Every structure is written in C-alpha cells, then in structure tokens.
Amino acid sequence: MRGIGVLGLVVVVSALVQALTVVGDPVPTSSVGFAGLVAASAAALVLALWITASTALDVVDGKASGALGRAWRRPRVLVWCVVLTLVAVALAILLPMLPVIVILVALLILPAVVDGHRSPFRAALRTVRRSPGRCALAAVVTILAYILSWVVALLLGFFVTGVVAAFITWLWFGAITSVLLLYWSRLYRRATLP
C-alpha cells in the first residue's frame, strides 16, 4: 500500500476505534469493561502514532510503496511512541497545555528513531542546528495546531457530542498528526542530506 494511503487508512481506522470506545456513553468506573475501553483507546493511539511516524519518513524519502510493511519492522519506534505517550498523558493530568512540549520533542526525534539512529536526541539537535529558522517555524505551527485542535475538540464536544463527535475529533487529530509528522520528517531529512 502506498504511503499516503497508509496514512489515510490509519487516520480513519484509529478514529473509528476511538469512536467505538464511547458507544453507550461509558461512565468512568473501576470496572474491567471500562479498563478495556481505556486500553483499546490507548492501543489505537499508540499504534496509529507508530505507523504514522514510520510512514511519514518513508513518504518523505519517496519510498511510499510498502510503507505499512516497513512500519511493522520498526519495533523501536513503537517503544518510543509508548514512552512519549505515557509522558504526554502524565503531563496532561498536571496541565492540559503541557503535552505540547512532549509533542514537539516527539515530532523532532521520531523521524530519527524511524531512520534507525541510536541517539535520536543527537540527531534531533543536528536538525535544529542545521535549520534553526525552519525548526522554529515548525514549532510555532505545531503549537498553533495543538491549540486549534483543542478548540476543535471543545466545539465538537459542545455541538455534536457522542460517537460522531469522537469520530470527527479523532479524524482531525489523526490528520493533523500526519501532516505534522510529514512536515518534521521533511525537516529531519533535509538536515541529514549532505
């Protein structure tokens, strides 16, 4: 499957899974059923991030064909996605705007992780050093996208609600994530070219 098709499929399937977790308007309880819904939601989020990050660099590299198969052969990216998601959730509990810091770090290092760098932070620093203006612009775009996504989610929660709101919200989140990962992957690749 071609890279852009993979990104679109991931966005739709992830949004569908997220929407299904709110069918029947579940109430947070300490039950096994609710824990299962939370686990399904978290798994969908992490898997979508894993495949999207992997596919975005493939698309930038012009290797869109077979992108999904290559994503499955990059388990290290999955580990990073799990860790970054857990940190973002922990920060969100403290203050809803704090996860944007983790999102910026994730967008900066995930392309290097996908590319197989042992030290993705060093590779990310090289990206910033080689294109400081572009990285600053990308950071501003990312922060604005984060704020806009919160506004979209709030408006959908107020005016649409339920399964439909969840589906549209997660479509939006997935699309924004795909665009941002493509953008940051392009910055990373530009910095690694001789």
Side-chain angles (χ1 to χ4, degrees):
M1 181 177 273
R2 304 209 45 90
I4 297 299
V6 169
L7 292 175
L9 181 65
V10 168
V11 168
V12 171
V13 169
S14 176
L16 185 60
V17 171
Q18 297 294 354
L20 290 174
T21 62
V22 298
V23 169
D25 199 21
V27 177
T29 61
S30 58
S31 68
V32 173
F34 187 76
L37 291 174
V38 171
S41 177
L45 174 67
V46 170
L47 289 174
L49 182 58
W50 174 31
I51 296 168
T52 302
S54 181
T55 303
L57 189 62
D58 285 343
V59 169
V60 167
D61 287 344
K63 300 186 291 187
S65 185
L68 185 59
R70 279 190 298 282
W72 294 113
R73 292 190 297 271
R74 294 171 173 150
R76 192 164 164 255
V77 178
L78 174 62
V79 172
W80 275 95
C81 290
V82 168
V83 170
L84 290 165
T85 300
L86 289 173
V87 172
V89 168
L91 289 176
I93 291 168
L94 297 174
L95 184 67
M97 295 310 279
L98 285 179
V100 75
I101 297 166
V102 179
I103 291 168
L104 285 168
V105 170
L107 290 167
L108 194 54
I109 67 167
L110 281 176
V113 175
V114 171
D115 209 23
H117 277 278
R118 292 261 182 231
S119 178
F121 287 102
R122 190 174 306 148
L125 286 174
R126 184 176 58 220
T127 301
V128 173
R129 275 192 220 113
R130 293 202 58 187
S131 301
R134 286 187 174 108
C135 287
L137 177 63
V140 169
V141 168
T142 301
I143 292 166
L144 291 174
Y146 182 79
I147 293 167
L148 180 61
S149 293
W150 268 106
V151 171
V152 167
L154 286 171
L155 289 175
L156 284 168
F158 283 126
F159 298 113
V160 181
T161 70
V163 175
V164 174
F167 182 72
I168 296 169
T169 300
W170 284 99
L171 275 179
W172 173 266
F173 288 162
I176 291 295
T177 301
S178 296
V179 169
L180 288 173
L181 276 165
L182 285 166
Y183 186 31
W184 284 90
S185 293
R186 191 166 283 117
L187 283 175
Y188 165 79
R189 185 50 76 214
R190 183 184 300 236
T192 59
L193 293 174

